[in-house]
Structures are given as C-alpha cells and as structure tokens.
C-alpha cells in the first residue's frame, strides 16, 4: 500500500510543482506513521492560513520514507520519528536547512481495551502463551521498544514484528494481539486501546526531527509545524514539545 | 492438434517489433537495475545468513502448499463456475476473482477480520479448538492461497469453457460414470491450462507480501517469507535486501523457464 502511494505520488508528479507565477502550490510532506493524525490537522490549519497551497501528507514507517527520499522521491518536508532516519538524508544533501526538533513521545504498553490477558507490566511480554507484537527493529518504535525492554531486563516472547506502528496498533486494537509496545500517543488516539505505563527508569524518549527539503513554502510549513499552532495540535495529541 | 505450430520465419512486421521491444524493455530494465545494485563480492556471505535461509524455507513451503491447495479446491470451483447452473454464479465468479484486483493489504485485513482470533469464523474456531491462524505458518499459507487461487480458477475455467464437450458426452454414452468422465476425459483435456494455472498460482504466492504481513505478521523463522525479509532488511541493510531479491528472481526464473519448456510448449 505504501509503495502504491509512493508510485501514485511519482506518477502524478506532485512535489515542488511550481506554477506559471513561480509560486509553490504543493507541499509534499513525508511523515512518520505515528504523526499521521497530527499532520492531518496541521495540514488543514496550514492550508487555511495559506490559501492556494495544497499540502499532501504521505505517512509510512520512517525507514521506508528515508529510503524513498534517498532514492529521489520528490518530498518537500521530512518528519521521521527518529533522528537516525534524518541523518542520512542530511548527509546526502537533501535538506535546505538544519533539522529542528518537532516533538517528543514516550512508549507505553498497549493492550486491547478489554485486556483479555490481564497485562500488568513489561514482564507480561515474556509470557509465551500471549500473542506479543513489537514493531520491527528497523523502524523507531521497534528500536525504542527493544531498548526499553533491555533496560528492564525483559526478554519478550515475540509473535510478530510489524513493519510500522500503524499496523501494530491496528492488530492490538482489534484484539488479534494481546500486548505490544506502542507510542503513548497511539493509545490516546485509539479508544480500542488501553495503555499500561512503563516505569520511567526503563522508558525511553522518542524525538521527532523535521526539516525542509526545498526552500519556499516547504520552509513555511516547517515553521508553522514547530510554531504555536503546530505545538497546540501536537500537545492535543499527547506529544511533548521542545 | 498433432503438429507443433511453426515459428514465423523471415522478417517480423516493424510495428510489432517496435512495440513488442518497448514492452519487453519494461521488464528488462528493472531487472538490470537490480543486477546493477547487487553486491556480487559479498553475495555468498549475505545469502548464507539465518534470515535468508529461514525466509527461503518459509517461502518454498508456503508457496508450494498454496499452489497445491489452489489445485485441490480451485479445480472443483472452476468446474462449478463453468458447468454448474445455480443462481448467483456470475456473482460468485466475481467474488472468486476479487483478490486479483483488491490491494493485497485489504485482502489481508479482510482475512484478519474473518479468520482472526476475534473474527467471524476465527472466534468460534478458536473457542472450539484453540487454533489461531494469524502469526503462524498456516496463516501464511492461507494468505498465499487467497491471492493465488484466482489465477488457477480463471485459467481452468477458461479451459473448461473451451474444450469440445462431445468427448465427454461420448464417454458418458459409452457408460462411464460422471466422476470417471471428469477424471479420465475432462482433466486430461484441460491438462495444459491446469499446469499453467498451478504455476501462475505458485508464482503469485511466491511474491506475496501485503496479505501475508497483514494477516500473518512478520517473524523470522515462523512467518517471514522472502518478500517480507526483503521489505524489512531494505530499511536496515540494502545490500542484503538486494541479495534476497536476487534469490527470489532466480528462483522464479528457474521454475518459469524449466516448466515453460516442459509443459507450456505442448499444444
């Protein structure tokens, strides 16, 4: 589905399309899957403030987006869930200004709302009889989950490593998995999920960088997302802001 | 039916060569792109990792199983669609071929909602037997069969529609039972289409990604097939991902080349 979106984006030639008057009209934003809900709102607010500008948000796992940008996808703004996904894009010279911090997030144990397995804490992820899901280690939510499990000294009995946090969240929400580690913001966003807190000593913080890959309206979008209006939307969805 | 069709000799019409050549380029250029990115010097090392060997095993088991299930259930289904007379036959045909049009991720989600632990059919199944299809090799095989079987059904149904039914009628007149006619007259007559359909189904199952990852998840050694391994490693180790893609391509080419020569060239 991701590659389908990507192909469509390429086919329709979106990106930094310039009109006859030399003005940019389209901003193509590549954003981490965990930012999907936030950026839908930021998009609407930015478009309301900038008539004639069309923002398009392509969300996927941060690593997928990174690969697409490195392979030449016409992204104007990049907002991954991990500085490690941003670094190669900066190194390859795709950014027009240094990345800035957009938001922070922490991890939570996610269980279906009715919590059939009676999950109390991280040690429940080691129970072999439960269906346990994590994100795959190459996306930020997977790397962070592995890190905090190591901090807590828990060896999880993993049944699936999902390619992005969206698919993990869905499988937890419909009750096909008993327990998983997702972002705190995922639990807030979906009523079908319940969160179990992770002790601060073990928990980790995810920082979300954002950078413009083109000058002009792409830069305006970054300023808007990191400005007061963007911050308000982020906080509403449970993110921390710098 | 007895003499093989003769090859065209002399010069082919120019428009056919031009358009046919351009068509062929569409398939050749990406393959060259893949070969150009292949890290040849480290290939053996990359391909002997546990990830690759596990994924190869799961891909072979699940694609062959899916092709076999497609034959077992798809041939009778194709016969019903071709010869049966029951209300809703056209609708059933459309539903059976739906997985060919549906994005595989949607198919996977539909399977999850129907056959998952909390699904329409999956929940009673789980309550009665404790069997959970998602996140297991059975889930991979089921997802593969879901996307692959339509190819077999289409191929076999077209053949059943096209054969000369007088042979079957003659066998019946001579006293053969209906199941005897099916096994000894119908099946041999649709043989080439059946084999082609089975190979198409196998090939489709081998490359399957979306429905598998959505329905069966992704875990090395249990559900991670070659396409899933490519997807996951593409994001952490591109050389390994290209090497695994090459395994898929070589495997598919070998089977398609060998079987094409042995099976499809016969009329």
């Amino acid at each position: 589905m991701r590659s389908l979106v990507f192909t469509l984006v390429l086919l329709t030639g979106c990106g930094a399309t310039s009109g006859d008057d030399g003005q940019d009209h389209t901003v193509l934003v590549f954003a981490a899957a965990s930012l999907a809900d936030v950026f839908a709102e930021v998009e609407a607010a930015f478009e309301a403030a900038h008539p004639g500008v069309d923002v398009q948000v392509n969300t996927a796992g941060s690593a997928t987006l990174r690969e697409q940008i490195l392979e030449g996808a016409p992204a104007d703004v990049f907002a991954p869930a991990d500085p490690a996904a941003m670094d190669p894009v900066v190194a390859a010279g795709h950014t027009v200004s240094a990345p800035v911090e957009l938001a922070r997030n922490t991890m939570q144990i996610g269980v279906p709302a009715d919590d059939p397995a009676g999950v109390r804490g991280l040690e429940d992820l080691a129970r072999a009889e439960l269906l346990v899901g994590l994100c795959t280690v190459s996306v930020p939510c997977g790397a962070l989950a592995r890190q905090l499990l190591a901090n807590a000294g828990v060896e999880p009995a993993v049944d699936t490593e999902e390619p992005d946090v969206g698919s993990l969240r869905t499988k937890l929400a419909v009750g096909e998995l008993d327990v998983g580690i997702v972002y705190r913001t995922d639990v807030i966003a979906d009523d079908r999920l319940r969160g179990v807190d992770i002790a601060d000593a073990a928990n980790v913080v995810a920082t979300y960088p954002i950078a413009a890959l083109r000058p002009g309206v792409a830069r305006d979008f970054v300023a808007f997302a990191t400005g007061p209006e963007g911050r308000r939307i982020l906080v509403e969805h449970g993110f921390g802001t710098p | 039916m007895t003499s093989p069709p003769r090859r065209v000799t002399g010069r082919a019409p120019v428009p056919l060569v031009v358009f046919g050549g351009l068509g062929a380029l569409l398939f050749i250029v990406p393959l060259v792109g893949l070969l150009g990115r292949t890290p040849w010097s480290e290939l053996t090392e990359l391909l002997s990792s546990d990830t690759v060997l596990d994924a190869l095993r799961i891909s072979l088991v699940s694609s062959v199983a899916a092709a076999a299930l497609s034959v077992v259930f798809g041939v009778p289904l194709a016969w019903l669609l071709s010869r049966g007379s029951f209300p809703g036959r056209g609708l059933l045909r459309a539903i059976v071929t739906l997985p060919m049009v549906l994005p595989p991720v949607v198919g996977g989600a539909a399977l999850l909602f129907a056959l998952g632990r909390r699904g329409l059919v999956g929940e009673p199944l789980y309550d009665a037997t404790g069997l959970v299809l998602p996140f297991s090799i059975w889930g991979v095989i089921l997802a593969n069969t879901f996307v692959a079987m339509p190819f077999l059904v289409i191929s076999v149904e077209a053949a059943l529609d096209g054969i000369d039914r007088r042979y079957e009628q003659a066998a019946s007149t001579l006293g053969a039972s209906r199941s005897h006619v099916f096994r000894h007259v119908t099946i041999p007559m649709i043989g080439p289409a059946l084999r082609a359909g089975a190979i198409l189904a196998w090939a489709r199952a081998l490359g399957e990604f979306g429905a598998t990852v959505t329905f069966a998840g992704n875990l090395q050694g249990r559900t991670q097939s070659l396409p899933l391994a490519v997807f996951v490693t593409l994001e952490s180790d591109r050389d390994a991902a290209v090497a695994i893609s090459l395994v898929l391509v070589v495997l598919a080419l070998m089977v398609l080349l060998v079987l094409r020569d042995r099976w499809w060239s016969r009329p």
Side-chain angles (χ1 to χ4, degrees), chain A residues 10-102:
Chain A
L10 285 182
L11 284 178
T12 52
C14 303
T17 36
S18 297
D20 293 331
D21 53 358
Q23 290 283 305
D24 296 334
H25 294 292
T26 309
V27 186
L28 179 59
V29 179
F30 276 29
S34 47
L35 287 172
D37 299 336
V38 167
F39 270 37
E41 278 186 41
V42 174
E43 173 190 345
F46 184 79
E47 284 174 349
H50 297 75
V53 174
D54 179 27
V55 177
Q56 300 184 352
V57 182
N58 172 29
T59 56
S62 296
T64 303
L65 298 172
R66 180 200 68 211
E67 284 304 309
Q68 290 176 347
I69 291 171
L70 291 176
E71 293 290 342
D76 300 318
V77 173
F78 184 34
D82 183 2
M86 180 66 89
D87 295 343
V89 172
V90 175
H94 288 285
T95 50
V96 294
S97 50
V100 290
E101 189 177 327
L102 173 73

Side-chain angles (χ1 to χ4, degrees), chain A residues 4-239:
Chain A
L4 179 72
V5 170
F6 178 52
T7 312
L8 287 177
V9 162
L10 285 182
L11 284 178
T12 52
C14 303
T17 36
S18 297
D20 293 331
D21 53 358
Q23 290 283 305
D24 296 334
H25 294 292
T26 309
V27 186
L28 179 59
V29 179
F30 276 29
S34 47
L35 287 172
D37 299 336
V38 167
F39 270 37
E41 278 186 41
V42 174
E43 173 190 345
F46 184 79
E47 284 174 349
H50 297 75
V53 174
D54 179 27
V55 177
Q56 300 184 352
V57 182
N58 172 29
T59 56
S62 296
T64 303
L65 298 172
R66 180 200 68 211
E67 284 304 309
Q68 290 176 347
I69 291 171
L70 291 176
E71 293 290 342
D76 300 318
V77 173
F78 184 34
D82 183 2
M86 180 66 89
D87 295 343
V89 172
V90 175
H94 288 285
T95 50
V96 294
S97 50
V100 290
E101 189 177 327
L102 173 73
R104 287 175 194 182
N105 209 347
T106 54
M107 310 307 285
Q108 239 184 352
I109 301 167
V111 297
D114 60 349
D115 188 16
V119 171
R120 299 264 167 280
L122 282 177
E123 56 282 3
D124 287 307
L125 276 87
R127 284 162 62 190
E129 77 275 18
L130 300 191
L131 286 173
V132 178
L134 297 177
C135 292
T136 187
V137 74
S138 59
V139 291
C141 70
L144 293 166
R146 294 287 180 178
Q147 199 182 323
L148 72 88
L149 284 163
N151 291 347
V154 173
E155 184 65 44
V158 180
D159 291 285
T160 180
E161 296 183 343
E162 294 294 311
D164 63 60
V165 70
S167 63
L168 177 58
R169 176 171 134 181
T170 305
K171 283 176 179 148
L172 287 166
V174 298
E176 293 301 335
L177 288 172
D178 292 314
V179 59
I181 293 180
V182 294
Y183 294 106
R184 205 171 78 86
T185 49
D186 289 309
V187 176
I188 293 172
D190 198 327
D191 313 335
R192 298 170 301 172
L193 276 184
R194 241 189 52 202
V196 178
D197 282 331
I198 297 166
D200 286 343
N203 210 342
V204 287
V205 176
T207 55
Y208 291 65
I210 187 170
L213 309 184
R214 309 244 189 284
V217 71
R219 268 200 176 124
D220 298 343
F221 182 85
V222 171
F224 186 86
T226 52
E229 182 75 356
R231 270 207 292 274
R232 185 187 62 73
I233 295 169
L234 282 162
V235 169
E236 224 165 66
H237 285 88
F239 285 90

